Amino acid sequence: MRFRPAGVALLFAVLLVLPARGAQAPSALDVLYPPDLTFAREPRVKVFAFRGSKGEPVVPVVNGKAAAPLDGEMFLKGEVSLFTGLNLLQIGGKDLRVFVLPNAIMNSFRFPSGKEGQDLVFQAYRLHPALDDGCEGCHTLEGGKLKAKDQKEACYGCHNDFSKGEGGKKMFVHSPVASGECTACHDPHFATRPKLQKLEKGCLECHDPFPATGTVHAPVGAGECVACHSPHAGAAKKQLARPGNALCLGCHIEPHERHRSFVVLGALTRVPDDFPTEAGELACIGCHAPHQSPDALLFTKPQAELCKICHLV
């Protein structure tokens, strides 16, 4: 039987109950990443920190042993090597717990805290690549403090300006994008969700949900708003990925041919002048709701009433 050395056993016990010390012992150093209770899938973990003035080299301490000093004077960055399992990372007076499980596929990891009924939840994060370039791309330094630049100026330094369509085409821009509120939906440093999304409810943080009764369009029921809408800008109103019938036909490849033609067939058919049309064809939304309907097949009205719009009886 193998026994842990007494020092390792003591460290392990401290890690389980240790709160992040930064809340009790403020430091001039602001650790940007990693936060306490980080779950890492690789044994080498990036470290980013900021301080308002130059000072002595900052040396991370990993499980009681000094690592290489962080590079930089005010914006500091580097990497530390950790062991598989639970690690204590000490940076600038802050104690941070990092659990390493190489090549793991899960996004979080629960670990017994030593307290009855309580677990430590370690969370994996996605980093904004801009952190590697330092703070200056997104911030200005004023009086030793970071001030955020205008978000359009900062974000469009690397990302496309969504309001500018190819070949001068008009784009319909999502209102937070148009007003430069990128951080309304995205975290500028790191996040648990893809694309640095920070909203747990996604689109429903701002948009009211559609009723779950009656007939619900499959993408709506699955919460896949971006199947039809661009979150930034689209070629059609409401940030639709494609205009009109072209959007519907991307999934519904076998529409009813008679109802696509605007040509009147038969003496008992009369299409009202205000019926939605598109390029000589009847528009899908003339009969079907795009999100939810109390009626079958997403009909905009009960079928008997709907047919009477065009078909005389």
Side-chain angles (χ1 to χ4, degrees):
M1 182 179 294
R2 299 178 62 185
F3 296 90
R4 289 194 194 91
V8 175
L10 178 59
L11 172 63
F12 187 79
V14 170
L15 285 169
L16 292 177
V17 299
L18 180 71
R21 194 171 60 189
Q24 300 175 358
S27 168
L29 187 72
D30 183 13
V31 179
L32 304 176
Y33 186 85
D36 187 34
L37 299 178
T38 291
F39 176 50
R41 303 185 183 95
E42 298 180 2
R44 289 190 64 80
V45 173
K46 290 185 176 183
V47 175
F48 297 99
F50 172 80
R51 59 184 174 186
S53 60
K54 300 177 182 179
E56 296 296 321
V58 175
V59 179
V61 177
V62 179
N63 299 328
K65 293 185 178 181
L70 299 179
D71 295 329
E73 295 181 336
M74 299 175 71
F75 175 74
L76 308 170
K77 63 181 180 179
E79 287 189 346
V80 294
S81 295
L82 305 179
F83 297 105
T84 297
L86 194 56
N87 295 264
L88 174 61
L89 179 59
Q90 297 171 301
I91 306 173
K94 293 181 172 61
D95 295 328
L96 308 169
R97 292 161 290 184
V98 181
F99 198 97
V100 176
L101 197 58
N103 302 316
I105 60 173
M106 61 272 211
N107 293 316
S108 61
F109 184 83
R110 302 185 73 88
F111 196 86
S113 68
K115 299 179 181 179
E116 184 177 354
Q118 296 185 24
D119 290 341
L120 300 176
V121 180
F122 292 82
Q123 183 68 57
Y125 296 98
R126 294 167 170 86
L127 278 168
H128 192 181
L131 284 174
D132 285 320
D133 298 328
C135 301
E136 295 82 0
C138 302
H139 299 272
T140 58
L141 184 61
E142 300 177 15
K145 295 183 179 180
L146 289 176
K147 300 292 185 180
K149 292 182 179 179
D150 175 80
Q151 290 190 34
K152 285 187 177 181
E153 176 189 353
C155 298
Y156 290 161
C158 298
H159 300 278
N160 294 331
D161 184 343
F162 295 104
S163 65
K164 297 179 179 179
E166 294 183 6
K169 291 182 179 178
K170 178 180 169 115
M171 299 297 290
F172 295 84
V173 184
H174 196 189
S175 56
V177 178
S179 58
E181 299 175 8
C182 304
T183 55
C185 299
H186 302 279
D187 194 290
H189 297 123
F190 60 87
T192 60
R193 299 175 181 85
K195 306 291 185 182
L196 297 176
Q197 296 175 57
K198 70 179 186 180
L199 303 178
E200 182 178 354
K201 296 181 180 179
C203 302
L204 297 182
E205 290 282 353
C206 298
H207 299 276
D208 293 331
F210 292 96
T213 57
T215 304
V216 178
H217 198 187
V220 176
E224 297 175 354
C225 304
V226 295
C228 298
H229 302 273
S230 167
H232 300 112
K237 292 181 179 180
K238 301 185 183 298
Q239 295 89 245
L240 291 176
R242 292 181 297 279
N245 289 356
L247 178 64
C248 303
L249 296 176
C251 295
H252 303 279
I253 58 177
E254 295 182 359
H256 12 221
E257 293 183 2
R258 278 177 172 255
H259 288 93
R260 287 188 63 191
S261 174
F262 193 53
V263 178
V264 175
L265 301 176
L268 296 180
T269 299
R270 182 187 63 200
V271 180
D273 293 337
D274 60 353
F275 194 91
T277 61
E278 180 194 345
E281 293 185 346
L282 302 181
C284 302
I285 60 171
C287 295
H288 301 279
H291 298 109
Q292 182 271 351
S293 170
D295 296 294
L297 301 177
L298 292 169
F299 285 143
T300 56
K301 295 182 178 181
Q303 186 171 3
E305 295 180 28
L306 186 63
C307 296
K308 290 179 181 179
I309 294 175
C310 299
H311 298 285
L312 306 179
V313 293

